[in-house]
Amino acid sequence: MAKRFAFDIDATDGSARTGRISMMRGEIKTPAFMPVGTAGTVKAMLPENVRETGADILLGNTYHLMLRPTAERVNHLGGLHKFMNWDRPILTDSGGFQVMSLTELRKMSEEGVAFRSHIDGRKIMLTPERSMEIQRLLGSDIVMCFDECTPFPATHDEAAKSMQLSMRWAQRSRQGFDSGEEHAGRSALFGIVQGGIYDDLRFQSIDALTDIGFDGFAVGGLAVGEGQETMFDVLDFTMPKMPVNAPRYLMGVGKPDDIVGAVERGIDMFDCVMPTRSGRTGQGFTRRGPINLKNARHKDDTRPVDEACKCPACTQYSRAYLNHLIRAGEILGAMLLTWHNLQFYQDLMTGLRGAIADGNLKQFANSFRSTYALGDIDPL
């Protein structure tokens, strides 16, 4: 019988781990990168093509789906997996991050967050209990507890109040999740560590979440403007305190070198809009760093975006053609470059998993960073 949720670590190298999350809808190889399917689609991609890049799991967005087409409609139509034609695991965020960003449209209280829809102005109340209900209606495999994403910068007092509220909401999320017995029996619930840049608050948050009990633990409140050095500093003191035998998810991260550094520090899961958003705006990721395919220097370049990549954009088309498509505003340009970027990210994860298994992560990471920092080289 398929497992509801199990996490097995196959190998370690320093603080880094590689392993597997086993769920009823399939296995997720870790470290894993989750492409973002905000509104029930990974933009500019067919689901089967996303799978071809190596993705084992997608991320769906509670806030956007609750507003349109609504969680109730998705449930009536058979759930998010059937609705979007993706039969493997889906993680849904709680909606908290998007609601918190609506500073002019929302009011927060102990109960939850009241806000007005950015689509039609409707007044909506999102609570921990309602977030759990929405994610149940969507049919999420990995459910995130409802929290407040602490802004940056924040004083110690501000971060403490925010974290403490998130911990109370985490307890209510746990209770709300458990009340949906059928859903709780086939899905997993992750807690979210908050506390800003302060070690004592992060430690308090970890203790509170561990006491409540979760299947996995996310690190929230990073990649919100603090910069890579500060983010790594927070991970340096946070990760040694995290439960060892549960997946660790760094939310909203990030750039390729962010991911490499976070894997070295023990993170198992990532998500970010960067590869897809960049693909729609003309930026491609290569082993020598990102390039802007809009630039005129590519208009006569017959090379692929990245010679080492096996995606259709690189094996069948030139930089010159992509430059033409993007400058002409053709949809195919966004499609091909998005496919390439997602392939680049999944290839990076494959490389990281292999390096950990072989015990040479430090060499792999240093080689990646030195090559990535070189910058793209113009053809002779």
Side-chain angles (χ1 to χ4, degrees):
M1 181 178 176
K3 297 178 180 179
R4 177 191 71 86
F5 183 87
F7 177 55
D8 296 294
I9 299 172
D10 296 328
T12 61
D13 187 353
S15 297
R17 310 105 65 81
T18 184
R20 293 157 289 115
I21 298 171
S22 301
M23 303 199 72
M24 294 178 70
R25 288 193 172 94
E27 186 176 272
I28 304 159
K29 299 181 293 294
T30 63
F33 179 81
M34 300 180 285
V36 175
T38 300
T41 174
V42 178
K43 290 180 173 62
M45 293 288 289
L46 291 170
E48 55 266 36
N49 299 147
V50 177
R51 177 62 180 150
E52 287 175 30
T53 66
D56 292 328
I57 179 173
L58 299 183
L59 181 143
N61 187 276
T62 291
Y63 169 79
H64 288 281
L65 290 167
M66 71 180 279
L67 296 180
R68 184 172 54 196
T70 74
E72 286 74 14
R73 179 165 289 119
V74 171
N75 180 260
H76 175 72
L77 294 169
L80 185 56
H81 297 80
K82 181 178 180 181
F83 190 54
M84 67 179 293
N85 190 32
W86 176 263
D87 62 1
R88 295 188 61 80
I90 294 175
L91 179 149
T92 47
D93 61 20
S94 69
F97 179 80
Q98 283 74 24
V99 170
M100 298 310 163
S101 68
L102 300 172
T103 52
E104 302 300 320
L105 300 174
R106 54 93 170 170
K107 183 177 180 180
M108 188 170 62
S109 65
E110 185 69 33
E111 181 184 3
V113 184
F115 67 97
R116 293 197 176 276
S117 165
H118 72 278
I119 297 173
D120 57 17
R122 284 184 299 136
K123 188 175 181 180
I124 299 171
M125 186 72 185
L126 188 59
T127 65
E129 294 79 11
R130 176 57 177 158
S131 176
M132 296 302 101
E133 180 186 23
I134 292 167
Q135 294 180 75
R136 176 184 60 79
L137 289 168
L138 295 174
S140 172
D141 299 285
I142 299 179
V143 173
M144 300 304 299
C145 71
F146 189 65
D147 71 323
E148 180 188 11
C149 180
T150 305
F152 179 84
T155 66
H156 188 278
D157 185 57
E158 291 168 339
K161 290 179 179 177
S162 175
M163 181 273 291
Q164 291 159 4
L165 177 63
S166 287
M167 296 307 99
R168 295 193 294 274
W169 284 354
Q171 180 66 65
R172 288 167 55 189
S173 295
R174 176 82 261 179
Q175 294 167 347
F177 177 88
D178 291 342
S179 68
E181 293 181 7
E182 181 182 351
H183 188 226
R186 59 178 174 78
S187 302
L189 181 65
F190 280 26
I192 304 176
V193 177
Q194 292 289 354
I197 61 172
Y198 305 102
D199 56 357
D200 61 324
L201 299 182
R202 290 281 178 179
F203 299 161
Q204 291 174 35
S205 181
I206 292 169
D207 289 342
L209 295 173
T210 304
D211 288 344
I212 295 169
F214 291 93
D215 297 294
F217 298 85
V219 180
L222 293 178
V224 290
E226 76 282 356
Q228 187 186 81
E229 183 178 356
T230 299
M231 178 177 72
F232 285 168
D233 286 345
V234 172
L235 292 179
D236 283 337
F237 62 68
T238 299
M239 298 311 296
K241 300 289 186 179
M242 296 277 277
V244 173
N245 296 317
R248 302 158 171 175
Y249 164 30
L250 181 55
M251 304 180 76
V253 173
K255 296 178 181 178
D257 51 334
D258 291 338
I259 290 175
V260 171
V263 166
E264 289 180 296
R265 290 163 171 81
I267 293 291
D268 305 300
M269 300 171 69
F270 302 87
D271 81 280
C272 189
V273 299
M274 188 164 292
T276 47
R277 180 176 291 169
S278 294
R280 299 193 306 277
T281 56
Q283 185 181 61
F285 290 94
T286 80
R287 283 149 186 81
R288 290 179 176 269
I291 60 173
N292 185 351
L293 270 300
K294 289 181 181 179
N295 288 349
R297 72 183 181 92
H298 299 293
K299 66 182 180 180
D300 295 313
D301 194 339
T302 59
R303 295 180 301 162
V305 175
D306 191 322
E307 291 86 348
C309 183
K310 301 303 181 184
C311 79
C314 292
T315 57
Q316 301 176 38
Y317 301 97
S318 66
R319 293 187 181 195
Y321 183 60
L322 289 169
N323 171 267
H324 159 68
L325 292 176
I326 292 163
R327 290 168 72 93
E330 290 290 339
I331 295 172
L332 182 59
M335 294 169 63
L336 289 172
L337 200 48
T338 297
W339 193 328
H340 164 72
N341 286 344
L342 288 175
Q343 188 67 65
F344 178 88
Y345 269 64
Q346 294 300 340
D347 288 350
L348 175 59
M349 305 317 295
T350 299
L352 287 164
R353 291 192 294 266
I356 296 168
D358 293 340
N360 65 354
L361 178 61
K362 183 176 181 180
Q363 178 182 351
F364 177 91
N366 289 340
S367 176
F368 174 85
R369 280 188 285 259
S370 61
T371 303
Y372 195 73
L374 289 174
D376 188 52
I377 298 176
D378 288 329
L380 297 176

